[in-house]
Amino acid sequence: MRRIDTLEDIAEGLEALLQTHPELVAIAERAGPLPLRRSVPGFESLASVIVSQQVSKASADSIWKRLVSIIDPLTPENYLAAGEEAWRLAGLSRAKQATLARISEAVIAGELDLTALADMPIEEAMRVMTNVKGIGPWTAEVYLLFSAGHADVFPSGDVALQHAYAHAYGESVRPDSKALRLFAERWTPWRGVAARLFWAYYAATRGRDGTPMP
C-alpha cells in the first residue's frame, strides 16, 4: 500500500502521474510546488477536518483557533468535559458539536482507532469512519489523505477540486462528486498526489487556498 509521508513521496507520485498522463504537465507547471500538508493522526486532526466542513477557509481557521484555545489539549475526554457552552463559544454549529461528541465517544470506547486507519485498506478505513454518524465520505477521505497518509484517495466531493478540474479541462460546469470520482480513477494509485496537484492549481488560478485544512 503506497503512502504519502514525505515530499519525496509526492515527487515520486507526481513523476508517475506526469509520465502516464502528459496532459497534467501544463497543470503542474501552473500549480507549482506541491506541499505535503501532513498532520499527526488522531482526534485533533480529525476535529480540524470537521471544523473545515462547509465553511470558508478563513472561517475554519478562526473557529479552529478558538476551539484549541478553549479546549487545550484537544482530546476526546477534554472535548466532552468542556460541554456545550465551550463548544458554542468556539463557534461550532450544533451539527459539528454533535459529530465531535460522537467521535469522542467512539474513540474513548475503542470503536474508532484513528491511528490504526493508516494501516487499513482504504475501503475498510472508509467503512470504519463513515460508520460514525456525522462522518461522511468527504470528511473520511480528507482525514485519510492528510492524517493517515493514504496515497490513493481523491475527495471528489470537494468544491475546490471540482472547480480546479473544470478550469483545467476547459469545462464550463464543474462536475459533481460522482462524475469527478469516476474521472479520478485514472490517477490510481496516486490519487492523493493528483488531489494535491489540483488544490495547488486552484490556489494558483483563484489566488486563494482551497485545501480543506485549517
Side-chain angles (χ1 to χ4, degrees):
M1 182 174 67
R2 286 182 171 83
R3 296 181 52 80
I4 298 176
D5 294 316
T6 66
L7 287 172
E8 288 72 22
D9 296 329
I10 291 178
E12 178 187 352
L14 183 60
E15 181 179 0
L17 286 171
L18 298 183
Q19 288 180 350
T20 310
H21 305 282
E23 77 278 4
L24 295 177
V25 171
I27 296 170
E29 290 174 349
R30 183 71 186 274
L34 306 186
L36 180 60
R37 293 184 184 248
R38 276 296 308 278
S39 61
V40 178
F43 177 76
E44 184 169 325
S45 182
L46 180 53
S48 74
V49 181
I50 298 295
V51 167
S52 299
Q53 292 175 344
Q54 298 177 327
V55 296
S56 69
K57 186 168 179 61
S59 295
D61 288 345
S62 178
I63 295 169
W64 181 248
K65 288 176 182 177
R66 290 199 299 271
L67 181 62
V68 295
S69 66
I70 294 171
I71 306 176
D72 182 21
L74 183 57
T75 64
E77 295 81 3
N78 288 349
Y79 178 81
L80 292 175
E84 292 185 10
E85 179 62 18
W87 306 342
R88 184 188 63 79
L89 288 174
L92 293 171
S93 67
R94 287 192 177 276
K96 292 181 181 181
Q97 292 175 24
T99 294
L100 286 173
R102 286 190 291 267
I103 291 170
S104 297
E105 291 164 354
V107 170
I108 292 170
E111 298 168 356
L112 180 61
D113 186 336
L114 293 170
T115 302
L117 293 169
D119 298 317
M120 293 182 185
I122 188 64
E123 295 81 5
E124 182 182 354
M126 287 289 294
R127 177 184 57 77
V128 169
M129 293 194 73
T130 56
N131 276 344
V132 179
K133 185 178 180 181
I135 300 181
W138 178 88
T139 299
E141 288 165 343
V142 170
Y143 178 84
L144 293 174
L145 179 61
F146 288 115
S147 301
H150 282 272
D152 199 26
V153 181
F154 193 95
S156 62
D158 188 86
V159 174
L161 289 181
Q162 293 171 1
H163 278 295
Y165 165 83
H167 187 279
Y169 283 88
E171 297 187 3
S172 58
V173 179
R174 65 181 173 90
D176 60 17
S177 178
K178 182 179 180 180
L180 186 55
R181 184 179 303 279
L182 289 172
F183 189 90
E185 287 180 359
R186 69 189 62 193
W187 299 320
T188 296
W190 289 109
R191 283 180 286 183
V193 174
R196 285 174 167 86
L197 172 62
F198 279 89
W199 270 313
Y201 181 82
Y202 179 89
T205 56
R206 292 292 188 103
R208 61 179 184 273
D209 187 4
T211 311
M213 294 292 284

